[in-house]
Amino acid sequence: MTLRMMWPLWLTLLVFVPLLVLAVWKIRTSHGQRRRDWWRRGAIVLTALVIALTPSVPRTMEESLITNVEMYFVVDRTGSMAAEDYDGDQARLVGVQQDMVALTQAMPAARYSILAFDSQTTSQLPLTTDSRAVRAWADTVTQEITAYSAGSAIDRPLAALSETLAAAAERNPENVRLVFLFSDGENTDGSDSQAGGGFESFAGLEPLVDGGAVLGYGTPDGGNMRSYDGSSGTGFGSDAPYITDDTGQPAVSRIDETALRTVADQLGVEYNHRITPDPVEPLVAGVDVEEIAADGRRDLTTYEDVYWPFAIVLALLLAWEAWDLTREVPRAGRKRPRDDDDFGTADDDADDRAAVPAGAGNGGR
């Protein structure tokens, strides 16, 4: 058993020792009912002291692995990621959802963060060890609203990712940072349906990146995309109308593997084409979790508090004290009994009136 004190020991002693001394002194100097009251109050102080010391029983759980791996998921959610050419006729975002969850399962002891980009880049999840948060986000991710689309730009998350990685490197320089970019590589201006436009280089991030991968979604033949207006009945996986091009025909989005391979080379990571839900373990096979563990494998110790029986005793003692105090307080509205020493009786008043001469109250008339 160990003590997990609610307060510092010196403060606990400062509060409770004088109260215990007072209770002992009152017990020794009181008699009868008053002594019993002080025995009760001494027990109240003693049980409160035990609760303040917080006795606990340590319990050791199975060992857990704590690492210094940080995984950054950069997710393209532009309209082209709704193109239905993944694993047959599913949207590319379906593949992103599956791969994100699979990567967290492949690296269960890491910390995770999500950046998403469409017409702008936003932080969707700060660094966390909760892989369930990644799954929850992946399960609910949507493409951007079609009416707000500003085209695809593979370098759109560059500034936000640079800032995020630089801050992480300054905060924890010893940590290992893995970047996973999920995109189809399209780089258009919103009106040009042909990919292949130029973009800013990611090479400046290479010193901040220890590993990861660029994951490319889509096929050279491409696919059509469902429109999305923000409601649950539209977007990928629905029967919403297809997005159309300038001719009024369903627009076709095609993967740009050249752009994706270029980004992978600039970041110093590998490129992986994802057209079916293949295993992701090879993407993190080069990461030796045992070697980069910050704290190594260790036993996780938890504590089970055992002061609750004293809390029950304290509640009963306080109820007893309250009951006794209410019995000593006079009832509201109770009249104070007349004291014959202070006030005359009715007979005395009659005798006094008889002793007064007739007419004395009228000036002798």
Side-chain angles (χ1 to χ4, degrees), residues 101-119:
V101 174
L103 282 168
T104 60
Q105 294 172 342
M107 295 290 291
R111 298 172 177 87
Y112 315 99
S113 178
I114 300 174
L115 290 175
F117 67 97
D118 40 51
S119 58

Side-chain angles (χ1 to χ4, degrees), residues 319-350:
W320 184 8
E321 178 72 14
W323 171 256
D324 264 14
L325 290 175
T326 56
R327 294 177 58 191
E328 295 180 6
V329 177
R331 293 181 182 177
R334 177 185 294 174
K335 293 182 179 180
R336 180 181 176 184
R338 295 185 62 171
D339 189 344
D340 289 346
D341 294 335
D342 297 332
F343 302 97
T345 64
D347 292 339
D348 292 338
D349 292 342

